[in-house]
Amino acid sequence: MPLRIASVRLDEVELPLVEPFETSFGVERNRRFLLVHVESRDGAEGWGECAAAIDPLYSSESVATARWILGERLIPLLFRLPNPTPEAFLRASARFRGNRMAKAAVELALQDLRARAQGKPLSRVLGGRRSRVRVGVSVGIQPTVPKLVRRVGRYLEAGYGRIKLKVAPGWDAAPVGAVRREYPDVELWVDANQAYPTRSVGSIRAWAERFGVAQVEQPFAERAIRAHADLARGAPFRVCLDESIVDAVSLEDALAARAVTSLNVKVGRVGGTTVGLALSQRARRARVPSWVGGMLESGIGRSHNVALASTPAFRLSNDLSASDRYYREDLTDPPFVLGPESTLAVPRGPGIGVGVVESVLRRHRRSSKTFRP
Ligand code: OSB
Ligand code: MG
């Protein structure tokens, strides 16, 4: 029997971050985002989180564009589906270009709904086999180099086994070198979020090699495939693509150009878990390892990410940290806590396997709109 959707609720939430998160494109102090809650006629529910931020800085989507396409196009389209599976929604919404973060929010809610209706953990429904996933921490640009070194030290003491430093022109060799000198053995990645001009291939390679950086993520613009291939040629580090990979075609082209030796999979960026899973499997056949990236999600988005990371094609440590790395008070219970060997436990309950704390949600909710067929 196909599920019938009885209602969809769109909540806009603002959660204060425990500390500001600065990248090459800007600073976030509070994360403002949308949640999609779907309910079926027989009372089953599903939660999805939209990765779009208040400003279109990471990509062209924002809370406002996502709110528009969800309310005016995607939710009405969902109501018209005779059998609202994640796959059916993906097919039906394909004729609307882009807007992948908004589409992903619905797709995730449908993934959670289906898994709960089956009484199975989402991880298992996706083919996940791990009970714990390996994680690292993404460290924002800091006011000074000594502050960065202290920040990294605290994360290492907390048990994180891999550190990703946000870098940008003017915040690279000095901070990366300082962290390397203080912590000679730590696994160090860097992520520039497209901040470098393509002429920087040589200089990036020099400091990354010198300081034993294991992976350089998205130094150049989204479309700069050739520059990423130039950086990857003969490099002793992996070149990871994040923003450049938005679908199967962009991955195929990057693989053919040898521009990608590590794949960051974000469900928002690629339009949901179904696509994210397929991209990780395609990359694996090309011997390119994948890992799950994060967008400072609340526990709702994070639980989806953890389920995805539990599947076999994800081989590298994921950008999924404990709840307290992001928020003092998370929307879900129990909170995610860092376990042995820098891991998070994969929830075992049905669906995303964590409960949404409605009282916390109500306190941080800025608006709420319910849609019915
Ligand atoms: O590029 O990976 C990124 C956060 C916001 C926007 C872009 C990125 C990030 C992160 C955060 O690195 C990773 C996390 O959620 O822990
Ligand atoms: Mg990135």
Side-chain angles (χ1 to χ4, degrees), residues 58 164 166 191 193 217-218 242-243 264 266 291 319:
Y58 165 81
K164 173 171 125 179
K166 289 293 189 179
D191 183 1
N193 292 105
E217 180 174 346
Q218 199 74 48
D242 176 348
E243 290 93 323
N264 172 329
K266 287 180 182 162
W291 54 288
D319 265 359

Side-chain angles (χ1 to χ4, degrees), residues 50-113:
C50 184
I54 196 75
D55 288 314
L57 301 176
Y58 165 81
S59 74
S60 61
E61 289 185 81
S62 66
V63 170
T65 67
R67 194 196 302 108
W68 180 82
I69 193 135
L70 282 161
E72 300 297 325
R73 295 289 183 273
L74 300 177
I75 293 169
L77 178 151
L78 173 61
F79 288 142
R80 291 196 297 273
L81 293 179
N83 186 13
T85 63
E87 296 77 18
F89 173 75
L90 215 59
R91 273 192 303 275
S93 62
R95 70 187 194 92
F96 297 121
R97 294 190 196 280
N99 293 285
R100 293 185 181 86
M101 292 177 173
K103 291 174 182 172
V106 174
E107 201 259 4
L108 297 181
L110 295 175
Q111 292 280 1
D112 183 28
L113 176 71

Side-chain angles (χ1 to χ4, degrees), residues 19-28 57-58 137-145 148-149 151-152 155 162-177 179 187-196 207 213 215-219 240-243 264 266 269 291 293-296 319 325-326:
E19 56 189 67
F21 187 73
E22 181 169 350
T23 65
S24 62
F25 57 75
V27 191
E28 278 185 88
L57 301 176
Y58 165 81
V137 63
S138 173
V139 187
I141 294 169
Q142 304 291 316
T144 67
V145 170
L148 173 71
V149 173
R151 198 78 210 73
V152 168
Y155 285 134
R162 179 274 282 167
I163 300 289
K164 173 171 125 179
L165 300 178
K166 289 293 189 179
V167 293
W171 180 262
D172 46 30
V176 176
V179 170
E187 184 179 347
L188 215 50
W189 299 4
V190 297
D191 183 1
N193 292 105
Q194 318 186 57
Y196 288 86
W207 57 256
V213 171
Q215 175 169 301
V216 176
E217 180 174 346
Q218 199 74 48
C240 174
L241 292 184
D242 176 348
E243 290 93 323
N264 172 329
K266 287 180 182 162
R269 197 188 70 235
W291 54 288
M295 296 286 290
L296 311 175
D319 265 359
R325 178 258 174 273
Y326 306 96

